[in-house]
Amino acid sequence: MTLLDVRDLSIRFKTPEGVVQAVEGLSFALAQGGTLGIVGESGAGKSQTAMAVLGLLARNAKVSGSIRFEDRDLLKLPESQLSKLRGNRIAMVFQDPMTSLNPYLRVEVQLGEVLERHRGLSRSAARAESLRLMQAVHIPDAAQRLRSYPHELSGGQRQRVMIAIALACQPALLLADEPTTALDVTVQAQILRLFAELKKDFGVAMILITHDLGVVAEVCEHTMVMYAGRAVESGATQTLLNAPAHPYTRALLEARPRIDTPLTDRLLALRGQPPNLLQLPPGCAFAPRCPIAVDVCTQSVPALRSIETAHLAACIRV
Amino acid sequence: MNKVETALAVAAAAPVGRSLWADARRRLFANRAALLSIVVLVLMVLLIVLGPMFSPWTYDYIDFDGIWRAPPQTEGMHFFGTDQLGRDLFVRTLVGGRISLMVGIVATLVSLLIGVAYGATAGYFGGRIDGLMMRGVDILYALPFMFLVILLMVVFGRHLVLIFVAIGAINWLDMARIVRGQTLALKNREFVMAARASGVSNGRIIRRHIIPNLLGVVMVYVTLTIPQVILVESFLSFLGLGVQEPATSWGALVNEGARDMDAAPWALIFPATFLAVTLFCFNFIGDGLRDALDPKDR
Amino acid sequence: MLRLALLRFASAVPTLLLLLVLAFFMMRAAPGGPFDTERSLPPEILAKLEQAYHLDEPLWKQFARYIGGAVQGDLGPSFQYSDFTVNQLILQGLPVSLRVGLGAMVLALFVGCAAGIVAALRHNRFSDYAVMTLAMTGMSIPVFVIAPLLILLFAVTLGWLPAGGWQDGGLRDMALPVVALALPQIAILARLMRGSMIEVLNSNYIRTARAKGLATRTVILRHALRPALMPVLSYLGPASAGIITGSVVIEQIFGIPGIGRYFVQAALNRDYTLVMGVVVFYGTLIILFNFLVDMLYGVLDPRVRAE
């Protein structure tokens, strides 16, 4: 059963410097309880895609296409309807737990208000439920931590609070934007394990946005690689990791630190700069950095096409 | 300058290099309010400097036969009319503007010199010296300076130089705080560390590397301080503690004008407009500069 | 919390002391004495007068005497109004000045903050530009220009309000002076509030609040308002100083019998003790206010409170 169906999504921002093409012609679907990893460098359009699903794009954004969620087009819903979905059916965990919680409010307020708003709980019922949620995300001394201010918690604990807030109303879809990037390596592993556990316990569908293929490998069934606002490859995570088709995916994989190859070789894998979104190169946006590019690559944008069952790539060379 | 230092100087110049300033200028000129303010201000300065030459009158010529002439007085060449002593208000407004602007600029420069030197030193040395120096600033900051300046004027009489010094002495505190903050941030940048590692003297690092990089904030601050200073001077003049008759400033003219505004509203309106327009321009340029140099908030 | 209070207090005391020292020695360095009137007094009377006011004592003794008095709240006799002490004169003007000053402060806070919030919520739209242009105007037109213009409009032309004076100190008397005194502060507060509100609205935790699906009202009132008010809070000290300074001019223009008017008279008459008394009194008030604001800041910000 399809939960989320994104079709031909385009996002543009009007800025004084010109029109920024953040996302272009993006389509993907996510089944109920499924997990999708979106991978790419910063500026690839990953976060903007998530913000579009939440309906929280900046005011200068122009969106087209459709985002169907539980058989409703989110792009056509009025704000009043959208805000009833946010934090309720669709929840989001952000990258930086240090700044994502309000420093002036106690944890119990920030957690409880979602329950009061979407589940109509009374203050005392919300408090009891908050305690349960804090325990579900494994925060020690949960009752005491509820009375804390964010600055009194560690980075990992704050991210756990963020996750508790996101799960408070048992959402059908959880968007996680680089949820582990700002954390220590050991804490990263803990949080990822928590995600895997929650996916099982809550049965929530998840979109995990990251630049780290290792994270995707651990949590996601499906993966989509984005470059300069477009999907360049998508398929089952195992397929992508074992047999990457697009040269960009291959470069990303080669850029991962490994013990068996010397460092110098790997750093060469992704030469050049991410493209300027104000002025994308003609044809395939990756062509200027591509090791196997030919003349045709700079002439037209390659379409995403099936190269084997459930494995798509946008490259004319494969 | 030896080779290492030359290389360092180039490195130091890089962060304030051409592209950043060119960018800032482009953004400033794209800001219509700021651009218009620059044009108006230039015209204002030209008028103040050259205007009095085109009038047959001087600012202190008293004519008891021609008091309170209402403008426009093209025949008598009193473009803005005359005051209660028959003095030409056109020339007085422009000459008053010279004083107001001069006070604004000179006093700002005084505060600039003290503030930059103090702030850069405190920020650069950091640690205990910084703590001590900023503690001093904190203590001074809480003083009701306006009252002390009034006291100063009461005690030592009205003297233009005294006004410069007094106002300059107030405003350097803000400057010192801003410069210190910037310096603290700058001194941990690579090019400063490199200079220090290669044994360049402290004084030289402050002069060559820190101060050039402070230019942006300082420029913004200066454009926003000048109107404040002009305001303080006019405030003193209004209380009768500013410039001595027959010399005048916009504040003094407004004071006189306000007294007789029923009989001769033009004596209030012309200097008040000049004063307000000038302050307006400075404030707009300052805002524009800040946005241009720090385009974060748009 | 207690540590914070002690720390702030420790920096307020030297400020106060410095204020007293500066004021005292500046006054004593003045050329000409307080009894230089048009007709010169006979030397023996002059000597008597100086003796009565302790002006014949060495400087350090006078200073010690003054500090001793000031600490006990005694600011000495007035030279000009010889029947009154400085305390009496200040206390006489205080209720009037307090009414006008507090009125202006409250008005400035409400209008300034409201305007700033509206501008921030309508960022880069018409109401934003309108508020900002008005605020810029407010900042660029000095109090002593605004005041006569207000009189010209509301008193002379429309005849709605008195042009000045202080009959019963009611709303009619207060309206124009309070508005004139508040306007520049409204302008500054509106700009400050707008800037900090925009910054807060762009912060990550507001993004989180929105992602929770909270009503816009809740996002602004519960999540954005308090952090956005913090910079405004720290401006309250300078704002009070601005209003006190402005009140000197306003009281003069509107003929209000407050402390400011005594101050200007005293300054022009070289009434040393009165000028100094007012400087010390208002200075102490400003320093005290800064101290209170600092403490309040600590109470309201959980991060500072924790230290």
Side-chain angles (χ1 to χ4, degrees):
Chain A
M1 211 354 230
T2 308
L3 176 73
L4 180 74
D5 190 5
V6 175
R7 291 269 171 88
D8 205 24
L9 178 70
S10 293
I11 305 170
R12 282 172 196 176
F13 293 97
K14 272 172 92 175
T15 71
E17 277 77 32
V19 176
V20 173
Q21 212 176 74
V23 174
E24 190 61 42
L26 187 71
S27 301
F28 63 90
L30 182 65
Q32 258 166 10
T35 42
L36 173 71
I38 302 183
V39 181
E41 293 167 303
S42 46
K46 303 165 293 177
S47 301
Q48 297 307 334
T49 305
M51 293 309 266
V53 172
L54 273 179
L56 287 179
L57 288 168
R59 230 180 27 214
N60 58 346
K62 270 193 116 62
V63 201
S64 63
S66 74
I67 301 176
R68 295 196 77 77
F69 173 80
E70 294 181 331
D71 287 324
R72 282 191 286 184
D73 188 348
L74 297 183
L75 293 181
K76 295 208 173 74
L77 281 189
E79 169 62 25
S80 59
Q81 301 267 328
L82 266 177
S83 77
K84 283 189 187 128
L85 287 177
R86 272 185 224 130
N88 186 15
R89 303 298 298 153
I90 308 174
M92 182 146 180
V93 174
F94 293 99
Q95 171 171 2
D96 188 1
M98 298 302 174
T99 56
S100 291
L101 288 167
N102 192 324
Y104 291 87
L105 297 174
R106 290 180 201 277
V107 170
E108 63 182 348
V109 175
Q110 304 194 47
L111 183 48
E113 65 183 356
V114 202
L115 298 162
E116 288 169 35
R117 158 93 173 155
H118 296 300
R119 285 167 62 182
L121 297 188
S122 68
R123 187 142 300 177
S124 60
R127 190 162 304 149
E129 178 66 7
S130 299
L131 190 63
R132 200 185 63 77
L133 284 162
M134 294 281 277
Q135 281 158 351
V137 295
H138 308 305
I139 294 177
D141 299 326
Q144 199 194 328
R145 298 283 86 158
L146 272 177
R147 302 278 306 153
S148 301
Y149 286 97
H151 69 90
E152 293 163 340
L153 306 179
S154 70
Q157 281 178 335
R158 282 187 229 184
Q159 195 61 303
R160 283 171 195 273
V161 170
M162 284 297 294
I163 295 170
I165 291 173
L167 293 174
C169 302
Q170 284 162 341
L173 176 62
L174 177 66
L175 306 166
D177 187 358
E178 307 264 8
T180 58
T181 309
L183 303 172
D184 290 345
V185 183
T186 47
V187 182
Q188 276 186 21
Q190 291 168 11
I191 296 287
L192 281 180
R193 229 173 297 138
L194 179 65
F195 269 118
E197 182 191 324
L198 294 171
K199 188 178 73 178
K200 223 166 56 205
D201 295 354
F202 285 72
V204 57
M206 217 154 80
I207 293 180
L208 188 70
I209 292 165
T210 179
H211 62 274
D212 186 351
L213 279 165
V215 170
V216 172
E218 242 171 281
V219 187
C220 304
E221 294 151 23
H222 289 91
T223 299
M224 176 168 72
V225 180
M226 284 184 76
Y227 188 82
R230 291 173 186 271
V232 292
E233 184 167 4
S234 78
T237 305
Q238 280 314 311
T239 319
L240 241 72
L241 291 180
N242 295 332
H246 197 281
Y248 177 63
T249 316
R250 269 185 261 158
L252 276 183
L253 275 169
E254 279 162 37
R256 291 175 62 200
R258 271 201 313 238
I259 310 170
D260 52 356
T261 41
L263 207 73
T264 44
D265 291 357
R266 278 184 274 117
L267 287 178
L268 292 175
L270 249 183
R271 63 202 160 100
Q273 292 288 314
N276 178 2
L277 295 176
L278 280 167
Q279 211 160 17
L280 286 172
C284 174
F286 188 59
R289 299 167 79 184
C290 183
I292 56 167
V294 291
D295 285 352
V296 202
C297 292
T298 58
Q299 279 158 21
S300 68
V301 182
L304 201 62
R305 62 193 172 86
S306 186
I307 51 169
E308 54 184 315
T309 329
H311 187 182
L312 305 168
C315 179
I316 55 162
R317 300 275 287 154
V318 295
Chain B
M1 210 192 282
N2 63 34
K3 233 188 217 154
V4 176
E5 242 193 297
T6 313
L8 290 172
V10 172
V16 291
R18 174 159 295 160
S19 70
L20 187 134
W21 288 109
D23 257 21
R25 194 168 52 224
R26 189 175 49 76
R27 278 194 293 264
L28 181 65
F29 287 161
N31 181 338
R32 258 172 288 166
L35 192 62
L36 185 67
S37 297
I38 294 175
V39 173
V40 171
L41 201 60
V42 168
L43 291 178
M44 177 76 81
V45 170
L46 283 177
L47 186 61
I48 282 171
V49 174
L50 304 175
M53 291 182 206
F54 296 103
S55 171
W57 307 101
T58 58
Y59 72 95
D60 54 357
Y61 178 78
I62 297 171
D63 174 14
F64 285 114
D65 294 333
I67 63 166
W68 280 347
R69 292 211 167 136
Q73 260 275 333
T74 38
E75 209 169 302
M77 295 287 273
H78 293 301
F79 306 118
F80 294 176
T82 59
D83 68 3
Q84 78 277 16
L85 294 177
R87 292 177 298 195
D88 179 60
L89 271 171
F90 175 71
V91 175
R92 279 184 78 72
T93 302
L94 298 184
V95 170
R98 288 181 185 173
I99 301 273
S100 282
L101 270 185
M102 192 165 73
V103 171
I105 291 166
V106 174
T108 302
L109 286 181
V110 171
S111 75
L112 185 71
L113 277 178
I114 308 175
V116 169
Y118 195 94
T121 310
Y124 181 72
F125 287 109
R128 191 172 295 175
I129 297 178
D130 173 45
L132 211 67
M133 287 175 85
M134 283 301 125
R135 197 113 201 99
V137 169
D138 283 346
I139 288 172
L140 290 176
Y141 216 80
L143 279 179
F145 268 105
M146 204 54 229
F147 286 94
L148 287 176
V149 170
I150 294 174
L151 201 57
L152 200 71
M153 293 297 151
V154 171
V155 169
F156 294 104
R158 307 183 276 171
H159 200 283
L160 208 53
V161 176
L162 211 56
I163 296 181
F164 293 153
V165 174
I167 299 177
I170 301 179
N171 278 296
W172 72 270
L173 292 170
D174 281 318
M175 190 79 242
R177 278 189 169 177
I178 296 169
V179 169
R180 170 193 170 258
Q182 286 285 314
T183 310
L184 271 180
L186 271 175
K187 77 167 180 181
N188 290 324
R189 296 268 294 275
E190 300 77 4
F191 56 88
V192 175
M193 307 246 253
R196 202 167 338 168
S198 54
V200 180
S201 74
N202 278 334
R204 193 157 194 139
I205 293 178
I206 292 183
R207 271 199 317 277
R208 288 222 159 274
H209 301 295
I210 305 280
I211 291 181
N213 277 291
L214 290 173
L215 226 61
V217 256
V218 167
M219 260 167 59
V220 172
Y221 178 79
V222 163
T223 26
L224 290 175
T225 302
I226 292 175
Q228 275 179 32
V229 171
I230 293 178
L231 214 52
V232 172
E233 187 281 327
S234 57
F235 181 86
L236 288 175
S237 288
F238 183 82
L239 290 178
L241 296 168
V243 288
Q244 290 267 29
E245 284 279 323
T248 192
S249 73
W250 283 335
L253 286 169
V254 168
N255 182 23
E256 286 165 24
R259 234 181 290 145
D260 305 313
M261 79 187 157
D262 303 344
W266 60 88
L268 170 66
I269 288 166
F270 284 111
T273 309
F274 271 63
L275 175 59
V277 166
T278 304
L279 297 179
F280 221 74
C281 288
F282 273 114
N283 280 328
F284 266 125
I285 296 171
D287 271 16
L289 263 178
R290 187 176 46 207
D291 292 347
L293 288 165
D294 179 19
K296 177 183 59 174
D297 168 39
R298 247 176 304 159
Chain C
M1 195 64 219
L2 189 70
R3 231 195 90 212
L4 183 78
L6 286 175
L7 215 73
R8 297 279 187 243
F9 194 67
S11 77
V13 169
T15 311
L16 259 173
L17 217 62
L18 190 67
L19 173 70
L20 285 172
V21 172
L22 280 177
F24 182 85
F25 286 100
M26 225 186 258
M27 273 282 141
R28 281 301 178 271
F35 308 114
D36 295 353
T37 42
E38 305 87 64
R39 51 198 178 90
S40 53
L41 297 162
E44 55 272 29
I45 294 181
L46 197 62
K48 272 250 171 58
L49 268 172
E50 291 198 332
Q51 201 183 355
Y53 289 117
H54 304 288
L55 291 178
D56 52 342
E57 290 178 1
L59 211 56
W60 66 268
K61 225 172 174 176
Q62 291 183 35
F63 181 62
R65 187 184 294 281
Y66 189 80
I67 296 276
V71 167
Q72 292 166 35
D74 176 15
L75 297 167
S78 161
F79 284 153
Q80 197 68 32
Y81 309 92
S82 40
D83 298 338
F84 294 96
T85 65
V86 173
N87 284 32
Q88 282 171 324
L89 289 171
I90 288 180
L91 283 179
Q92 211 170 61
L94 186 62
V96 177
S97 291
L98 210 60
R99 279 179 74 115
V100 175
L102 278 181
M105 190 69 151
V106 171
L107 184 70
L109 269 177
F110 273 98
V111 179
C113 289
I117 291 171
V118 168
L121 294 180
R122 313 285 302 166
H123 191 194
N124 283 344
R125 293 191 219 171
F126 178 75
S127 16
D128 182 19
Y129 294 130
V131 168
M132 282 306 101
T133 309
L134 279 177
M136 191 65 102
T137 315
M139 274 177 65
S140 301
I141 304 182
V143 196
F144 51 80
V145 174
I146 292 177
L149 289 180
L150 285 178
I151 295 177
L152 204 59
L153 182 63
F154 290 100
V156 179
T157 311
L158 296 171
W160 291 352
L161 294 160
W166 197 256
Q167 262 89 52
D168 54 353
L171 269 182
R172 276 175 59 82
D173 290 349
M174 278 175 67
L176 284 183
V178 164
V179 168
L181 194 51
L183 274 177
Q185 300 303 324
I186 290 176
I188 297 173
L189 281 167
R191 283 167 57 93
L192 195 65
M193 186 75 222
R194 170 183 177 269
S196 82
M197 194 58 156
I198 287 174
E199 202 175 313
V200 169
L201 287 178
N202 284 329
S203 72
N204 283 348
Y205 56 87
I206 294 303
R207 188 182 60 182
T208 307
R210 291 214 170 101
K212 286 166 157 182
L214 302 176
T216 311
R217 199 166 29 109
T218 317
V219 172
I220 289 162
L221 292 182
R222 188 185 293 163
H223 284 269
L225 193 58
R226 186 132 77 113
L229 276 172
M230 296 309 275
V232 173
L233 187 63
S234 50
Y235 177 71
L236 280 186
S240 67
I243 283 184
I244 289 176
T245 314
S247 74
V248 173
V249 171
I250 291 294
E251 288 177 12
Q252 187 79 358
I253 294 177
F254 287 95
I256 297 169
I259 298 174
R261 245 204 352 186
Y262 283 126
F263 182 69
V264 177
Q265 306 292 318
L268 296 174
N269 291 335
R270 292 178 179 281
D271 189 343
Y272 289 174
T273 44
L274 185 51
V275 168
M276 220 169 107
V278 173
V279 169
V280 167
F281 177 76
Y282 271 162
T284 312
L285 213 63
I286 292 170
I287 292 168
L288 202 73
F289 208 76
N290 273 322
F291 173 71
L292 288 177
V293 165
D294 269 355
M295 297 305 301
L296 195 63
Y297 198 96
V299 171
L300 290 180
D301 189 335
R303 284 164 300 185
V304 178
R305 189 169 45 200
E307 271 172 27

